Amino acid sequence: MSEQAAVRRSLRALFSPRGCPDPYPHYAVLREHAPVARLPDGTVVVSRHADCDRMLRDPVFRVEDDEWIGRTWPEGREHHTVYSLMGEMVNQNSPHHERLRRLVSRAFTPRRVEGLRPAVTALVEQLLTGLAERAAPDRPVDFMAHFALPLPIAVIGELLGVPEEDRPWFAPRVQAVTSAIEQNLTGDALDRADEATSELWDRLGQLTELRRADPREDLVSTLIAVRDADGDRLTRRELLANLVLLYSAGYETTSNLLGNGLAVLLERPDLLARLRGEPDRVGAWVEEMLRFDPPIQIASRWAGEDTELGGESIARGTQVIALLAAANRDPRRHPDPDVFCPDRPPSRSLTFGAGAHYCLGAALARLEAQVAFPLLLKRFPSILPAGAGAARDRVTSLRGHTRLPVLLG
Protein backbone atom coordinates (compact mmCIF):
# COMPACT_ATOMS: atom_id res chain seq x y z
CA MET A 1 0.00 0.00 0.00
CA SER A 2 1.36 3.44 -0.92
CA GLU A 3 1.88 6.12 1.71
CA GLN A 4 -0.97 8.22 0.31
CA ALA A 5 -3.33 5.25 0.34
CA ALA A 6 -2.35 4.43 3.93
CA VAL A 7 -3.02 8.01 4.98
CA ARG A 8 -6.42 8.05 3.28
CA ARG A 9 -7.30 4.74 4.91
CA SER A 10 -6.32 6.00 8.36
CA LEU A 11 -8.29 9.22 7.97
CA ARG A 12 -11.37 7.28 6.82
CA ALA A 13 -11.03 4.89 9.76
CA LEU A 14 -10.66 7.66 12.32
CA PHE A 15 -13.41 9.94 11.05
CA SER A 16 -15.98 7.51 9.68
CA PRO A 17 -19.35 7.33 11.46
CA ARG A 18 -18.41 3.93 12.93
CA GLY A 19 -15.18 5.20 14.37
CA CYS A 20 -12.30 2.91 15.18
CA PRO A 21 -11.83 0.52 18.14
CA ASP A 22 -8.04 0.92 18.05
CA PRO A 23 -6.99 4.32 16.69
CA TYR A 24 -3.33 4.13 17.66
CA PRO A 25 -1.96 2.41 14.51
CA HIS A 26 -3.77 5.05 12.44
CA TYR A 27 -2.35 7.84 14.57
CA ALA A 28 1.12 6.41 13.87
CA VAL A 29 0.52 6.45 10.12
CA LEU A 30 -0.52 10.10 10.22
CA ARG A 31 2.37 11.17 12.45
CA GLU A 32 4.86 9.54 10.09
CA HIS A 33 3.42 10.28 6.66
CA ALA A 34 0.93 13.17 7.01
CA PRO A 35 1.50 15.09 10.24
CA VAL A 36 -0.59 17.94 8.80
CA ALA A 37 -3.38 16.27 6.83
CA ARG A 38 -6.57 17.60 5.25
CA LEU A 39 -10.00 16.05 5.23
CA PRO A 40 -12.19 16.36 2.11
CA ASP A 41 -14.08 19.29 3.67
CA GLY A 42 -10.83 21.23 4.20
CA THR A 43 -10.46 20.52 7.91
CA VAL A 44 -6.81 20.23 8.93
CA VAL A 45 -5.73 17.36 11.18
CA VAL A 46 -2.42 17.50 13.10
CA SER A 47 -0.91 14.56 14.94
CA ARG A 48 2.61 15.41 16.12
CA HIS A 49 3.22 16.73 19.62
CA ALA A 50 4.88 19.97 18.56
CA ASP A 51 2.04 20.95 16.21
CA CYS A 52 -0.72 19.96 18.65
CA ASP A 53 0.99 21.88 21.44
CA ARG A 54 1.35 24.95 19.21
CA MET A 55 -2.32 24.82 18.22
CA LEU A 56 -3.42 24.64 21.85
CA ARG A 57 -1.20 27.51 23.01
CA ASP A 58 -1.27 29.98 20.11
CA PRO A 59 -4.19 32.47 20.37
CA VAL A 60 -4.35 32.54 16.57
CA PHE A 61 -6.18 29.23 16.91
CA ARG A 62 -9.53 30.00 18.50
CA VAL A 63 -12.06 27.77 20.21
CA GLU A 64 -15.39 27.34 18.47
CA ASP A 65 -17.27 30.25 20.00
CA ASP A 66 -20.38 32.30 19.20
CA GLU A 67 -18.59 33.88 16.25
CA TRP A 68 -17.83 30.44 14.81
CA ILE A 69 -21.40 29.23 15.32
CA GLY A 70 -22.81 32.41 13.78
CA ARG A 71 -20.69 31.92 10.68
CA THR A 72 -21.00 28.17 10.23
CA TRP A 73 -24.35 27.27 11.81
CA PRO A 74 -26.45 30.35 12.70
CA GLU A 75 -29.63 28.33 13.26
CA GLY A 76 -27.78 26.35 15.92
CA ARG A 77 -28.35 29.21 18.37
CA GLU A 78 -32.02 28.23 18.50
CA HIS A 79 -31.10 25.07 20.40
CA HIS A 80 -30.87 25.33 24.18
CA THR A 81 -27.89 22.95 24.17
CA VAL A 82 -25.90 25.20 21.83
CA TYR A 83 -26.94 28.32 23.77
CA SER A 84 -25.65 26.69 26.95
CA LEU A 85 -22.44 25.39 25.36
CA MET A 86 -21.59 28.84 24.00
CA GLY A 87 -21.91 30.24 27.52
CA GLU A 88 -19.23 27.90 28.85
CA MET A 89 -15.75 29.28 29.42
CA VAL A 90 -14.23 26.50 27.30
CA ASN A 91 -16.07 27.97 24.30
CA GLN A 92 -14.94 31.55 24.87
CA ASN A 93 -11.95 33.35 23.40
CA SER A 94 -10.01 36.34 24.69
CA PRO A 95 -10.97 38.54 26.48
CA HIS A 96 -14.18 36.75 27.56
CA HIS A 97 -12.36 33.50 28.38
CA GLU A 98 -9.92 35.14 30.77
CA ARG A 99 -12.75 36.90 32.59
CA LEU A 100 -14.84 33.73 33.04
CA ARG A 101 -11.87 31.58 33.98
CA ARG A 102 -10.72 34.11 36.56
CA LEU A 103 -14.13 34.10 38.19
CA VAL A 104 -14.74 30.35 38.06
CA SER A 105 -11.21 29.46 39.15
CA ARG A 106 -11.78 31.22 42.46
CA ALA A 107 -14.18 28.41 43.27
CA PHE A 108 -11.78 25.74 42.00
CA THR A 109 -8.62 26.41 43.95
CA PRO A 110 -6.07 23.67 44.76
CA ARG A 111 -7.03 24.07 48.42
CA ARG A 112 -10.70 23.40 47.64
CA VAL A 113 -9.85 20.38 45.47
CA GLU A 114 -7.50 18.90 48.07
CA GLY A 115 -10.14 19.55 50.70
CA LEU A 116 -12.34 17.08 48.84
CA ARG A 117 -9.94 14.18 49.49
CA PRO A 118 -11.78 12.85 52.59
CA ALA A 119 -15.12 13.04 50.77
CA VAL A 120 -13.67 11.34 47.65
CA THR A 121 -12.17 8.60 49.82
CA ALA A 122 -15.51 8.00 51.53
CA LEU A 123 -17.34 7.90 48.18
CA VAL A 124 -14.81 5.43 46.75
CA GLU A 125 -15.16 3.17 49.78
CA GLN A 126 -18.94 3.31 49.49
CA LEU A 127 -18.87 2.35 45.81
CA LEU A 128 -16.37 -0.46 46.43
CA THR A 129 -18.73 -1.88 49.02
CA GLY A 130 -21.48 -1.74 46.42
CA LEU A 131 -19.28 -3.60 43.95
CA ALA A 132 -18.60 -6.32 46.50
CA GLU A 133 -22.31 -6.72 47.22
CA ARG A 134 -23.13 -7.15 43.53
CA ALA A 135 -20.33 -9.58 42.74
CA ALA A 136 -19.72 -13.25 43.40
CA PRO A 137 -16.67 -15.48 42.68
CA ASP A 138 -18.16 -16.59 39.36
CA ARG A 139 -20.38 -13.60 38.61
CA PRO A 140 -18.85 -10.53 36.94
CA VAL A 141 -19.74 -6.95 37.79
CA ASP A 142 -19.58 -4.00 35.42
CA PHE A 143 -16.86 -1.64 36.65
CA MET A 144 -18.14 1.22 34.49
CA ALA A 145 -21.78 1.09 35.56
CA HIS A 146 -21.17 0.54 39.25
CA PHE A 147 -17.97 2.48 39.91
CA ALA A 148 -16.35 4.54 37.15
CA LEU A 149 -19.55 6.33 36.13
CA PRO A 150 -21.16 7.00 39.51
CA LEU A 151 -17.96 8.17 41.24
CA PRO A 152 -17.42 11.44 39.32
CA ILE A 153 -21.13 12.25 39.44
CA ALA A 154 -20.99 11.88 43.22
CA VAL A 155 -17.77 13.92 43.50
CA ILE A 156 -19.08 16.79 41.35
CA GLY A 157 -22.28 16.69 43.36
CA GLU A 158 -20.21 16.98 46.54
CA LEU A 159 -18.22 19.88 45.08
CA LEU A 160 -21.30 21.77 43.93
CA GLY A 161 -23.30 21.04 47.05
CA VAL A 162 -26.01 18.94 45.40
CA PRO A 163 -27.84 16.84 48.01
CA GLU A 164 -26.80 13.19 47.86
CA GLU A 165 -30.29 11.92 47.10
CA ASP A 166 -30.54 14.25 44.06
CA ARG A 167 -27.24 13.27 42.40
CA PRO A 168 -28.43 10.20 40.44
CA TRP A 169 -30.94 12.46 38.66
CA PHE A 170 -28.09 14.31 36.91
CA ALA A 171 -26.33 11.33 35.29
CA PRO A 172 -28.72 10.53 32.38
CA ARG A 173 -29.17 14.20 31.55
CA VAL A 174 -25.45 14.89 31.49
CA GLN A 175 -25.04 11.77 29.32
CA ALA A 176 -27.66 13.11 26.88
CA VAL A 177 -25.72 16.35 26.44
CA THR A 178 -22.40 14.52 26.02
CA SER A 179 -23.92 12.09 23.51
CA ALA A 180 -25.20 14.97 21.37
CA ILE A 181 -21.76 16.59 21.34
CA GLU A 182 -20.21 13.28 20.26
CA GLN A 183 -22.74 13.08 17.41
CA ASN A 184 -21.91 16.61 16.23
CA LEU A 185 -25.09 18.14 17.66
CA THR A 186 -27.39 16.57 15.08
CA GLY A 187 -30.63 14.63 14.84
CA ASP A 188 -32.55 13.05 17.68
CA ALA A 189 -29.50 13.25 19.94
CA LEU A 190 -29.66 17.06 19.81
CA ASP A 191 -33.40 17.05 20.56
CA ARG A 192 -32.79 14.87 23.62
CA ALA A 193 -29.93 17.11 24.69
CA ASP A 194 -32.11 20.23 24.39
CA GLU A 195 -34.65 18.68 26.73
CA ALA A 196 -31.93 17.56 29.13
CA THR A 197 -30.27 21.00 29.09
CA SER A 198 -33.55 22.70 29.92
CA GLU A 199 -34.07 20.33 32.83
CA LEU A 200 -30.50 20.85 34.05
CA TRP A 201 -30.88 24.63 33.93
CA ASP A 202 -34.16 24.44 35.86
CA ARG A 203 -32.69 22.17 38.54
CA LEU A 204 -29.43 24.10 38.87
CA GLY A 205 -31.35 27.38 38.84
CA GLN A 206 -33.38 26.17 41.81
CA LEU A 207 -30.16 25.20 43.60
CA THR A 208 -28.62 28.65 43.03
CA GLU A 209 -31.70 30.34 44.49
CA LEU A 210 -31.47 28.12 47.56
CA ARG A 211 -27.80 29.00 47.98
CA ARG A 212 -28.47 32.73 47.58
CA ALA A 213 -30.87 32.50 50.49
CA ASP A 214 -28.72 30.07 52.48
CA PRO A 215 -25.02 30.10 51.42
CA ARG A 216 -22.90 27.09 52.33
CA GLU A 217 -19.33 25.86 51.90
CA ASP A 218 -19.83 24.62 48.34
CA LEU A 219 -18.91 25.70 44.84
CA VAL A 220 -22.38 26.98 43.91
CA SER A 221 -22.37 29.34 46.89
CA THR A 222 -18.86 30.50 45.98
CA LEU A 223 -19.79 31.17 42.35
CA ILE A 224 -22.86 33.14 43.40
CA ALA A 225 -20.78 35.30 45.71
CA VAL A 226 -17.77 35.67 43.44
CA ARG A 227 -16.76 39.21 42.46
CA ASP A 228 -13.59 40.77 41.12
CA ALA A 229 -12.05 44.11 42.02
CA ASP A 230 -14.25 45.95 39.50
CA GLY A 231 -17.47 44.40 40.71
CA ASP A 232 -17.64 41.94 37.82
CA ARG A 233 -19.77 38.86 38.21
CA LEU A 234 -21.18 35.90 36.34
CA THR A 235 -24.43 36.43 34.45
CA ARG A 236 -27.20 33.90 34.96
CA ARG A 237 -26.38 32.28 31.61
CA GLU A 238 -22.68 32.08 32.46
CA LEU A 239 -23.38 30.66 35.90
CA LEU A 240 -25.77 27.92 34.77
CA ALA A 241 -23.82 27.07 31.60
CA ASN A 242 -20.61 26.62 33.55
CA LEU A 243 -22.30 24.54 36.22
CA VAL A 244 -23.45 22.21 33.43
CA LEU A 245 -19.88 22.27 32.08
CA LEU A 246 -18.43 21.23 35.44
CA TYR A 247 -20.85 18.32 35.60
CA SER A 248 -20.36 17.09 32.03
CA ALA A 249 -16.59 17.61 31.76
CA GLY A 250 -15.86 16.17 35.18
CA TYR A 251 -18.16 13.22 34.60
CA GLU A 252 -17.06 11.70 31.29
CA THR A 253 -13.38 12.55 31.54
CA THR A 254 -12.88 10.97 34.95
CA SER A 255 -15.03 7.90 34.29
CA ASN A 256 -13.05 7.15 31.14
CA LEU A 257 -9.74 7.73 32.91
CA LEU A 258 -10.77 5.12 35.49
CA GLY A 259 -12.02 2.64 32.90
CA ASN A 260 -9.11 3.03 30.48
CA GLY A 261 -6.60 2.84 33.31
CA LEU A 262 -8.06 -0.33 34.77
CA ALA A 263 -8.28 -1.93 31.32
CA VAL A 264 -4.53 -1.41 30.85
CA LEU A 265 -3.79 -2.97 34.25
CA LEU A 266 -6.05 -5.96 33.59
CA GLU A 267 -4.21 -6.66 30.34
CA ARG A 268 -0.88 -6.71 32.25
CA PRO A 269 -1.09 -8.65 35.53
CA ASP A 270 2.50 -7.67 36.26
CA LEU A 271 1.47 -4.03 36.25
CA LEU A 272 -1.53 -4.77 38.42
CA ALA A 273 0.66 -6.48 41.02
CA ARG A 274 3.27 -3.74 40.90
CA LEU A 275 0.83 -0.87 41.47
CA ARG A 276 -0.74 -2.79 44.34
CA GLY A 277 2.71 -2.90 45.92
CA GLU A 278 3.56 0.78 45.46
CA PRO A 279 0.39 2.79 46.17
CA ASP A 280 2.45 5.82 47.21
CA ARG A 281 3.55 6.20 43.57
CA VAL A 282 0.02 6.20 42.19
CA GLY A 283 0.47 9.78 40.93
CA ALA A 284 3.05 8.64 38.37
CA TRP A 285 0.79 5.76 37.33
CA VAL A 286 -2.15 8.09 36.75
CA GLU A 287 0.02 10.38 34.62
CA GLU A 288 1.02 7.42 32.46
CA MET A 289 -2.62 6.33 32.16
CA LEU A 290 -3.47 9.83 30.96
CA ARG A 291 -0.69 9.68 28.38
CA PHE A 292 -1.05 6.10 27.21
CA ASP A 293 -4.80 5.81 26.56
CA PRO A 294 -6.28 9.22 27.32
CA PRO A 295 -9.97 9.80 27.97
CA ILE A 296 -9.78 12.93 25.81
CA GLN A 297 -8.45 12.21 22.34
CA ILE A 298 -9.18 15.28 20.26
CA ALA A 299 -9.26 19.08 20.54
CA SER A 300 -10.68 21.43 17.92
CA ARG A 301 -9.91 25.06 17.01
CA TRP A 302 -10.34 27.40 14.06
CA ALA A 303 -7.79 29.77 12.57
CA GLY A 304 -8.61 33.38 13.42
CA GLU A 305 -6.25 34.61 10.71
CA ASP A 306 -4.05 33.25 7.94
CA THR A 307 -1.18 31.32 9.49
CA GLU A 308 0.89 28.16 9.15
CA LEU A 309 1.21 24.96 11.10
CA GLY A 310 3.83 22.28 10.62
CA GLY A 311 5.03 24.07 7.50
CA GLU A 312 1.57 24.06 5.89
CA SER A 313 -0.49 27.18 5.12
CA ILE A 314 -3.71 27.50 7.10
CA ALA A 315 -6.30 29.98 5.81
CA ARG A 316 -8.43 32.08 8.16
CA GLY A 317 -11.60 30.25 9.17
CA THR A 318 -10.13 26.76 8.70
CA GLN A 319 -11.05 24.22 11.33
CA VAL A 320 -8.04 22.48 12.88
CA ILE A 321 -8.24 19.21 14.82
CA ALA A 322 -5.41 18.19 17.13
CA LEU A 323 -5.16 14.45 17.75
CA LEU A 324 -4.07 14.69 21.37
CA ALA A 325 -3.75 10.93 21.82
CA ALA A 326 -1.48 10.79 18.76
CA ALA A 327 0.66 13.58 20.24
CA ASN A 328 0.88 11.65 23.51
CA ARG A 329 2.52 8.77 21.62
CA ASP A 330 4.85 10.87 19.49
CA PRO A 331 8.29 9.22 19.75
CA ARG A 332 9.83 12.66 19.28
CA ARG A 333 8.40 13.52 22.70
CA HIS A 334 8.15 10.18 24.54
CA PRO A 335 10.66 7.34 23.99
CA ASP A 336 9.01 3.96 23.36
CA PRO A 337 5.60 5.64 23.38
CA ASP A 338 3.58 2.46 22.79
CA VAL A 339 4.90 0.96 26.04
CA PHE A 340 3.05 1.68 29.28
CA CYS A 341 5.78 2.78 31.69
CA PRO A 342 5.01 4.56 34.98
CA ASP A 343 8.73 5.24 35.47
CA ARG A 344 8.89 7.94 32.81
CA PRO A 345 10.40 11.27 33.89
CA PRO A 346 7.79 13.98 34.53
CA SER A 347 6.53 15.16 31.16
CA ARG A 348 2.91 16.15 31.14
CA SER A 349 0.81 14.86 28.28
CA LEU A 350 -1.60 16.97 26.26
CA THR A 351 -4.62 15.08 27.57
CA PHE A 352 -5.91 18.08 29.55
CA GLY A 353 -4.80 20.56 26.90
CA ALA A 354 -2.23 23.31 27.21
CA GLY A 355 -2.08 27.06 27.38
CA ALA A 356 -4.99 29.33 28.29
CA HIS A 357 -7.62 26.60 27.98
CA TYR A 358 -5.82 24.00 30.10
CA CYS A 359 -8.53 21.99 31.85
CA LEU A 360 -9.59 23.66 35.08
CA GLY A 361 -10.77 20.33 36.50
CA ALA A 362 -7.56 18.39 35.81
CA ALA A 363 -6.52 18.36 39.47
CA LEU A 364 -9.89 16.95 40.52
CA ALA A 365 -9.77 14.15 37.91
CA ARG A 366 -6.26 13.24 39.06
CA LEU A 367 -7.34 13.25 42.70
CA GLU A 368 -10.22 10.86 42.02
CA ALA A 369 -7.99 8.41 40.15
CA GLN A 370 -5.19 8.64 42.71
CA VAL A 371 -7.63 7.80 45.50
CA ALA A 372 -9.55 5.15 43.56
CA PHE A 373 -6.85 2.81 42.24
CA PRO A 374 -4.98 1.98 45.47
CA LEU A 375 -8.25 1.41 47.34
CA LEU A 376 -9.66 -0.72 44.51
CA LEU A 377 -6.59 -2.96 44.33
CA LYS A 378 -6.34 -3.26 48.10
CA ARG A 379 -10.02 -4.18 48.45
CA PHE A 380 -9.94 -6.71 45.59
CA PRO A 381 -6.47 -8.31 45.39
CA SER A 382 -7.71 -10.96 42.92
CA ILE A 383 -9.52 -8.71 40.45
CA LEU A 384 -9.56 -10.17 36.92
CA PRO A 385 -11.07 -9.29 33.55
CA ALA A 386 -14.33 -11.10 32.76
CA GLY A 387 -14.34 -11.20 28.99
CA ALA A 388 -14.04 -8.33 26.56
CA GLY A 389 -15.36 -4.94 27.53
CA ALA A 390 -17.40 -2.74 25.21
CA ALA A 391 -15.46 0.26 23.98
CA ARG A 392 -17.02 3.33 22.43
CA ASP A 393 -17.54 2.76 18.72
CA ARG A 394 -16.82 6.34 17.68
CA VAL A 395 -13.57 8.28 17.63
CA THR A 396 -14.64 11.66 18.96
CA SER A 397 -13.19 13.84 21.67
CA LEU A 398 -13.78 11.05 24.21
CA ARG A 399 -12.48 7.50 24.41
CA GLY A 400 -13.57 4.92 26.93
CA HIS A 401 -15.67 1.87 27.69
CA THR A 402 -19.43 1.59 27.85
CA ARG A 403 -18.97 -1.69 29.74
CA LEU A 404 -15.98 -3.25 31.53
CA PRO A 405 -16.88 -6.55 33.28
CA VAL A 406 -14.55 -7.77 36.03
CA LEU A 407 -14.39 -10.66 38.48
CA LEU A 408 -13.57 -9.45 41.97
CA GLY A 409 -12.53 -12.82 43.43
Side-chain angles (χ1 to χ4, degrees), residues 41-195:
D41 65 359
T43 299
V44 171
V45 180
V46 294
S47 50
R48 289 181 179 172
H49 185 281
D51 296 328
C52 291
D53 188 66
R54 154 89 192 287
M55 190 207 79
L56 294 170
R57 295 179 186 276
D58 192 334
V60 165
F61 297 102
R62 303 168 62 82
V63 297
E64 293 160 359
D65 55 3
D66 267 326
E67 179 184 347
W68 171 264
I69 292 294
R71 182 161 59 84
T72 62
W73 186 30
E75 63 273 22
R77 293 168 170 169
E78 300 172 6
H79 292 275
H80 198 170
T81 303
V82 177
Y83 179 76
S84 182
L85 287 170
M86 291 303 105
E88 297 175 357
M89 62 182 173
V90 296
N91 294 317
Q92 301 283 331
N93 289 293
S94 183
H96 306 296
H97 172 260
E98 289 87 345
R99 170 184 164 270
L100 284 176
R101 189 178 179 97
R102 184 176 67 250
L103 293 172
V104 175
S105 65
R106 295 184 184 184
F108 229 91
T109 62
R111 178 183 175 185
R112 182 182 290 274
V113 172
E114 183 58 31
L116 284 171
R117 185 178 292 273
V120 172
T121 301
L123 290 167
V124 168
E125 294 280 16
Q126 179 181 335
L127 289 169
L128 293 177
T129 297
L131 280 180
E133 292 172 348
R134 288 182 174 88
D138 59 347
R139 186 176 68 217
V141 61
D142 184 0
F143 177 77
M144 299 304 298
H146 301 300
F147 186 89
L149 292 170
L151 177 61
I153 281 287
V155 171
I156 292 294
E158 185 75 19
L159 179 68
L160 296 182
V162 175
E164 184 175 353
E165 63 272 16
D166 292 344
R167 294 170 190 171
W169 180 90
F170 284 86
R173 290 157 180 85
V174 172
Q175 284 179 313
V177 174
T178 302
S179 178
I181 294 171
E182 288 193 277
Q183 298 180 52
N184 297 318
L185 299 173
T186 58
D188 293 341
L190 180 56
D191 294 336
R192 290 190 292 271
D194 283 341
E195 181 179 357

Side-chain angles (χ1 to χ4, degrees), residues 9 32 45 69 73 82 106 122 131 136-137 196 244 279 307 326 336 370 384 388 404:
R9 178 184 177 186
E32 186 64 26
V45 180
I69 292 294
W73 186 30
V82 177
R106 295 184 184 184
L131 280 180
V244 173
T307 185
D336 298 320
Q370 290 168 9
L384 293 170
L404 187 60

Side-chain angles (χ1 to χ4, degrees), residues 240-312:
L240 296 180
N242 282 286
L243 288 177
V244 173
L245 166 66
L246 292 173
Y247 244 121
S248 57
Y251 174 43
E252 293 280 7
T253 301
T254 304
S255 64
N256 289 331
L257 166 58
L258 295 169
N260 294 356
L262 181 59
V264 170
L265 297 178
L266 292 174
E267 291 173 359
R268 293 273 306 277
D270 58 317
L271 293 176
L272 199 67
R274 182 180 162 190
L275 176 54
R276 185 178 290 114
E278 52 181 47
D280 292 344
R281 292 196 66 249
V282 67
W285 286 76
V286 170
E287 291 307 310
E288 182 67 348
M289 292 172 185
L290 287 166
R291 183 202 69 83
F292 185 77
D293 194 15
I296 304 169
Q297 299 261 309
I298 290 173
S300 180
R301 300 286 190 270
W302 62 280
E305 59 186 65
D306 292 346
T307 185
E308 63 81 29
L309 190 58
E312 298 289 331

